[in-house]
Amino acid sequence: MRKLRYNKANAPGSIHLKIQKESMKHSKKKFFSEIHFLVLLSGMAALSWEVMWQIKSSLALGVSAWGTAITLAVTMGGMCVGAILMGHGLRKRKTVRPIRIYAILECAIGVAGLFLGSAFHAIEALDTYVYAINPDNAALVHLLGIATVLAVPTMCMGATLPVLGLAAKQRKTSIAVLYGLNTLGAAIGTLVAAFILIPFFGVSSVIFMVSALNITVSVLAWKMDSGAVKTAGATKKAAPKERSYTLSPRTEIVLVAITGFSTFMLEVAWFRSLTAAFMSTTDAFAIMLSSVLIALGAGAAFVPILKKRKVTLGYLMGWAGILILLTVPVIERFDLFTFQVAHFSSIVFAQWFFITLYVTGLPMFLLGVALPWILDEQDSPKRWGVLYGTNAFFAIIGSICAGWLFLPTIGFAQTAWFTGVLVVCAGTMIAPREKRYVLSAVGVIALLIAVTFESGVGKTRVQGQTSYNSDFKMSKILESYEGPEATVSAVEYDNGLRSIIIDGFVTTQQSGQDEQQKSEHYMAWMGHMPMILHPDPKNALIICFGTGQTANAVRNEKATSVDIVDLNKNVLKLAHNFSANEGVLDDPKVKTTIMDGRAYVRRTRKVYDVITLEPMPPNFAGVNALYSQEFYQHARERMSEDGIIAQWLPFHLISARYSASIAKTFQSVFPNAILWVDSHSSTGILLGSADDNSDLEATWPGFKRLGIARDMTEDEIKKLVILDREEMLKYGEFGEIINDNNQLLAYGRAAHMLRKAENRTKENYKIINDIAETPFEIPAEFAK
């Protein structure tokens, strides 16, 4: 009998094994592209969440630099803790299924987001209660409340880093590439949230959409899981990963700490300067942030390529610091040409984006290489977690130091110099010996260039659009402060005019002794008008101080108690530069509070006869909260039965649609409302009564009070009521209700501010005069 030869290669089981291996090979290639796509989507969701968290926290607890810092600290702190805990947890296991864990973490983030609205509503209620019984503990409630709400999602976000490290190891890809794609996704998420999602769908819908995105990523990742992978602790003697450098673990920690600290220091410093050029709108902030994230993400994604080309990490970091120093004189002067192009281009946002990316992109690209490079050198989940956690922790330190220490004490340029020198030193420290002298020498030259070409911001000039009128030239800076909230300056022009400039925007002014400037006339009448309409106004609240002319008018109308609330203490420091307020802050019946106006109205239990407010322009970041229906509801709760409220309506800053929206929203809470227009400045003032049944237009009890200096007669004042209660309803038909959900004035709307003031004002007057029984005479400068 012939003996059959057994061919192991052709055995049925072996054939099946070959097919299975080939299938796995192809599935790996397929999964390679898909996991990168999922990481990109995850990054989009992460930054969208950060936008939502900031909006919700500012509405629940008030707009402030302190509140923003707490939200940032909790976010980065949660990611720090999550990364470290997950790294330690994975280290104790011999094998894990990283994609399954990643899916669970993404699902947890999405599910946590579904409770975001109710959670912040509970924090707001708790904050109101605590402030009423013990105001000193309000800050603690703020911190604990934000930490409670954001703990789960932020820790899960941080925990994905060491998990993705194992996934990268399993799929033979680079953790640096995954990190870079995640960051690029964050840049996309920033732009999509600001320009598409929130403007078209509103905050509540976006929260559900982003939750759905996280859950979708979770489901797809779960389905793509293909087994377990060994961790670094699976064997006692794991083969060490081949490295591109010989840095010690301690040096790695120092480097990721420096890059985290420096990146956020630069963001705070650069954004402060760029805001003066681009205006303090949410659109501008989204553009600036996305530019930085694109550069950081690209730097991370290029790590494998840079390694293949044998470029050293120290050399890259050294040049990052050098370029940081060289960009400072350019960023200082952004305001000198951005306003020149703003009014002549319909694609100004694209211009802002590419200009910012062009100038800041390369230094951020090089700075963004360090953390992913060092992560890519590791082979341990614990090490990934510790390194990432260290970077996140020092990012918190960097942002706080920039806002509360460096900017207030040494200013923007010097803060950026310090950061650049720090990065140059770090790069030189780890660079090859033959390149250290070159980096040091070029670094010194770059610093000398930065110092030599300093533009004198805060000393000899103020950034931004420093005058309403191009004929006026600034002659001197009276006083200037850089603080956590903003850069605030009092300046004087060659004609004696004085202004307050906040982050590059002229917010208010006082004319010189020899002339009366028309544009400021309405400020006093923001105080006179509501006081005149009330029969016996005793308690008055002024939100936003400005030069103090409104507060002084309220005081002169014989109020017995005047409370002034302003977000920025430095504005109050400038009061002595403006004689028109007649030293109102020195009056014992005047009390000042540094707080967000909306938060104060919600927290206080005091009842007011008059509330008057003139915030920053409606389209500026955070100001939507002072024009929303929810704010007016809070204000009405704090008003007496016959209380009067006055709201600034700046026709020259917003389009007719948004002016009508403000009026409609105002009247939705105060049905008994009228529109009064100052004949000198052509500025509108909305006036509403808490008494829905009184005839607001017919009763002017304040004229019976004698001995009050006013620069208009009773007949002149009454004639300037342009829209009565019924006409206001018709005017509101041109707009829509502004609320906390649609953020109508804040997101995707700043383009209207770039149109020339004449066009906006003329457009507003045309609609109002079509409705008004007695049309308002359009000023000559707007009638052309």
Side-chain angles (χ1 to χ4, degrees):
M1 183 176 177
R2 185 178 177 185
K3 188 176 181 180
L4 294 175
R5 292 191 177 186
Y6 178 72
N7 188 343
K8 186 176 180 180
N10 294 329
S14 298
I15 294 172
H16 177 73
L17 188 61
K18 281 184 178 181
I19 295 173
Q20 191 177 36
K21 286 182 177 179
E22 196 68 24
S23 176
M24 286 182 66
K25 182 178 178 182
H26 287 295
S27 77
K28 281 185 181 181
K29 290 181 180 179
K30 181 180 179 182
F31 182 79
F32 178 84
S33 61
E34 288 176 344
I35 191 173
H36 285 73
F37 181 64
L38 291 184
V39 170
L40 187 78
L41 292 180
S42 178
M44 290 178 61
L47 245 293
S48 298
W49 280 128
E50 290 190 31
V51 173
M52 297 299 104
W53 295 339
Q54 191 57 56
I55 292 174
K56 285 293 187 179
S57 65
S58 65
L59 291 173
L61 299 167
V63 176
S64 67
W66 168 248
T68 301
I70 286 178
T71 304
L72 175 65
V74 169
T75 300
M76 300 302 294
M79 295 169 72
C80 168
V81 172
I84 292 173
L85 291 179
M86 179 59 74
H88 277 275
L90 294 176
R91 178 176 174 270
K92 296 178 180 180
R93 301 178 65 88
K94 291 185 177 182
T95 59
V96 294
R97 304 183 74 158
I99 306 304
R100 285 278 174 94
I101 298 174
Y102 177 67
I104 293 170
L105 292 171
E106 288 291 324
C107 183
I109 296 169
V111 171
L114 297 175
F115 300 95
L116 191 64
S118 57
F120 273 106
H121 181 74
I123 291 176
E124 180 178 321
L126 178 63
D127 176 75
T128 303
Y129 171 76
V130 171
Y131 192 85
I133 61 174
N134 192 345
D136 294 336
N137 287 332
L140 181 61
V141 170
H142 195 150
L143 175 60
L144 294 178
I146 297 295
T148 301
V149 173
L150 303 187
V152 171
T154 57
M155 289 176 67
C156 287
M157 286 179 182
T160 60
L161 191 282
V163 171
L164 287 175
L166 288 176
K169 178 181 177 182
Q170 183 183 41
R171 294 299 161 181
K172 309 300 182 184
T173 187
S174 167
I175 187 175
V177 172
L178 296 184
Y179 184 90
L181 286 173
N182 190 261
T183 307
L184 290 171
I188 296 170
T190 301
L191 295 174
V192 170
F195 288 96
I196 300 175
L197 295 183
I198 297 175
F200 286 96
F201 301 103
V203 174
S204 297
S205 295
V206 173
I207 286 174
F208 286 103
M209 292 167 69
V210 180
S211 288
L213 180 59
N214 282 119
I215 294 172
T216 300
V217 170
S218 171
V219 171
L220 293 175
W222 187 274
K223 287 185 176 181
M224 289 188 294
D225 176 59
S226 59
V229 63
K230 291 183 179 180
T231 66
T235 58
K236 292 183 179 180
K237 294 183 179 180
K241 185 174 181 178
E242 185 178 349
R243 292 187 165 216
S244 63
Y245 57 60
T246 58
L247 300 181
S248 68
R250 182 175 296 178
T251 302
E252 290 175 334
I253 291 289
V254 171
L255 288 178
V256 297
I258 289 174
T259 55
F261 180 87
S262 301
T263 301
F264 274 69
M265 277 272 286
L266 279 179
E267 282 190 31
V268 173
W270 281 355
F271 286 9
R272 175 65 59 82
S273 183
L274 293 172
T275 296
F278 296 159
M279 298 183 295
S280 300
T281 64
T282 51
D283 307 74
F285 179 78
I287 288 169
M288 292 185 288
L289 181 58
S290 63
S291 299
V292 169
L293 291 173
I294 286 173
L296 292 173
F302 269 78
V303 165
I305 297 174
L306 294 171
K307 283 186 174 182
K308 286 182 180 179
R309 297 197 172 189
K310 305 297 183 182
V311 182
T312 63
L313 178 58
Y315 191 68
L316 295 174
M317 285 191 65
W319 274 103
I322 291 167
L323 290 174
I324 288 169
L325 293 170
L326 293 176
T327 57
V328 176
V330 180
I331 293 176
E332 281 186 89
R333 293 168 172 80
F334 257 38
D335 60 302
L336 299 179
F337 60 87
T338 51
F339 277 111
Q340 300 301 317
V341 301
H343 290 161
F344 297 98
S345 174
S346 60
I347 55 171
V348 63
F349 287 142
Q351 287 183 326
W352 286 355
F353 174 79
F354 286 112
I355 289 172
T356 305
L357 186 60
Y358 179 77
V359 174
T360 66
L362 189 53
M364 274 295 177
F365 174 91
L366 296 177
L367 190 59
V369 166
L371 174 63
W373 186 304
I374 294 173
L375 290 174
D376 200 50
E377 297 291 322
Q378 314 304 314
D379 198 38
S380 162
K382 178 183 177 182
R383 191 65 180 164
W384 285 319
V386 169
L387 289 168
Y388 181 76
T390 301
N391 183 267
F393 176 78
F394 277 90
I396 300 171
I397 303 300
S399 62
I400 292 175
C401 285
W404 273 267
L405 178 61
F406 285 88
L407 285 176
T409 55
I410 63 176
F412 150 70
Q414 291 76 9
T415 300
W417 297 348
F418 173 83
T419 308
V421 170
L422 178 64
V423 175
V424 169
C425 291
T428 304
M429 177 181 70
I430 64 169
R433 187 179 300 274
E434 66 275 10
K435 293 183 178 180
R436 291 179 185 175
Y437 297 108
V438 174
L439 289 175
S440 299
V442 177
V444 170
I445 293 171
L447 178 59
L448 291 174
I449 291 173
V451 173
T452 302
F453 290 96
E454 182 196 3
S455 67
V457 172
K459 300 172 186 175
T460 59
R461 80 178 194 94
V462 174
Q463 288 180 301
Q465 189 177 19
T466 55
S467 176
Y468 287 123
N469 192 322
S470 59
D471 295 332
F472 301 160
K473 293 183 179 180
M474 190 182 75
S475 60
K476 61 180 175 179
I477 299 174
L478 302 171
E479 221 172 323
S480 185
Y481 299 99
E482 287 202 56
E485 307 287 351
T487 299
V488 183
S489 304
V491 302
E492 185 173 88
Y493 300 89
D494 51 10
N495 65 343
L497 179 75
R498 291 186 172 191
S499 293
I500 291 180
I501 301 174
I502 300 179
D503 282 343
F505 184 82
V506 180
T507 60
T508 185
Q509 63 183 29
Q510 172 190 297
S511 60
Q513 295 179 354
D514 299 330
E515 61 175 305
Q516 174 66 40
Q517 191 69 21
K518 288 184 178 181
S519 58
E520 74 181 77
H521 185 265
Y522 77 93
M523 297 176 191
W525 286 93
M526 286 290 301
H528 287 304
M529 286 302 299
M531 295 293 286
I532 291 173
L533 288 170
H534 195 282
D536 186 24
K538 297 185 182 301
N539 298 324
L541 171 65
I542 295 98
I543 298 176
C544 303
F545 180 73
T547 58
Q549 296 179 63
T550 300
N552 187 47
V554 169
R555 178 183 62 161
N556 290 339
E557 289 284 347
K558 307 296 179 64
T560 57
S561 170
V562 180
D563 291 340
I564 298 171
V565 177
D566 201 291
L567 184 62
N568 196 322
K569 66 180 181 181
N570 291 329
V571 171
L572 301 181
K573 289 182 180 180
L574 299 178
H576 66 92
N577 294 290
F578 300 92
S579 59
N581 65 49
E582 298 179 331
V584 65
L585 295 181
D586 298 326
D587 194 316
K589 65 183 178 184
V590 175
K591 177 186 175 183
T592 60
T593 301
I594 305 302
M595 189 183 296
D596 171 61
R598 172 167 166 157
Y600 177 84
V601 169
R602 173 176 52 78
R603 289 166 172 169
T604 186
R605 301 273 67 87
K606 189 172 181 178
V607 175
Y608 291 98
D609 300 309
V610 164
I611 297 176
T612 179
L613 65 153
E614 183 194 348
M616 291 288 281
N619 297 81
F620 276 27
V623 183
N624 188 94
L626 291 174
Y627 285 91
S628 70
Q629 190 176 53
E630 291 85 350
F631 167 72
Y632 294 133
Q633 290 167 349
H634 287 312
R636 180 156 184 159
E637 291 172 359
R638 300 274 66 81
M639 292 167 63
S640 59
E641 292 182 358
D642 51 359
I644 303 293
I645 184 171
Q647 171 76 74
W648 180 50
L649 186 58
F651 297 132
H652 63 295
L653 292 177
I654 50 177
S655 68
R657 179 193 171 197
Y658 299 117
S659 295
S661 296
I662 291 171
K664 182 173 186 174
T665 306
F666 185 84
Q667 196 173 26
S668 72
V669 179
F670 299 99
N672 189 9
I674 59 175
L675 172 63
W676 187 86
V677 176
D678 177 49
S679 59
H680 294 70
S681 65
S682 307
T683 298
I685 299 177
L686 293 169
L687 296 156
S689 174
D691 182 356
D692 295 338
N693 300 316
S694 67
D695 190 345
L696 193 61
E697 186 181 1
T699 57
W700 301 83
F703 289 124
K704 297 178 182 179
R705 295 191 292 272
L706 303 178
I708 299 174
R710 306 183 185 108
D711 63 2
M712 287 194 290
T713 66
E714 182 176 345
D715 288 339
E716 288 175 330
I717 294 168
K718 289 181 177 180
K719 287 179 181 179
L720 293 175
V721 177
I722 306 302
L723 299 180
D724 62 21
R725 181 173 182 165
E726 298 304 318
E727 291 168 337
M728 279 278 290
L729 290 172
K730 294 179 182 178
Y731 183 39
E733 292 175 1
F734 290 90
E736 58 185 292
I737 296 293
I738 301 163
N739 54 46
D740 294 342
N741 182 56
N742 62 30
Q743 293 286 307
L744 184 65
L745 301 175
Y747 279 87
R749 314 300 187 182
H752 293 276
M753 296 188 65
L754 300 177
R755 298 177 60 191
K756 291 185 178 180
E758 307 93 277
N759 296 336
R760 289 191 297 263
T761 306
K762 187 176 180 180
E763 182 184 21
N764 275 290
Y765 287 150
K766 183 179 184 304
I767 292 176
I768 290 171
N769 283 341
D770 287 343
I771 298 170
E773 181 178 343
T774 305
F776 178 73
E777 185 178 347
I778 300 177
E781 59 265 35
F782 299 128
K784 297 177 182 179

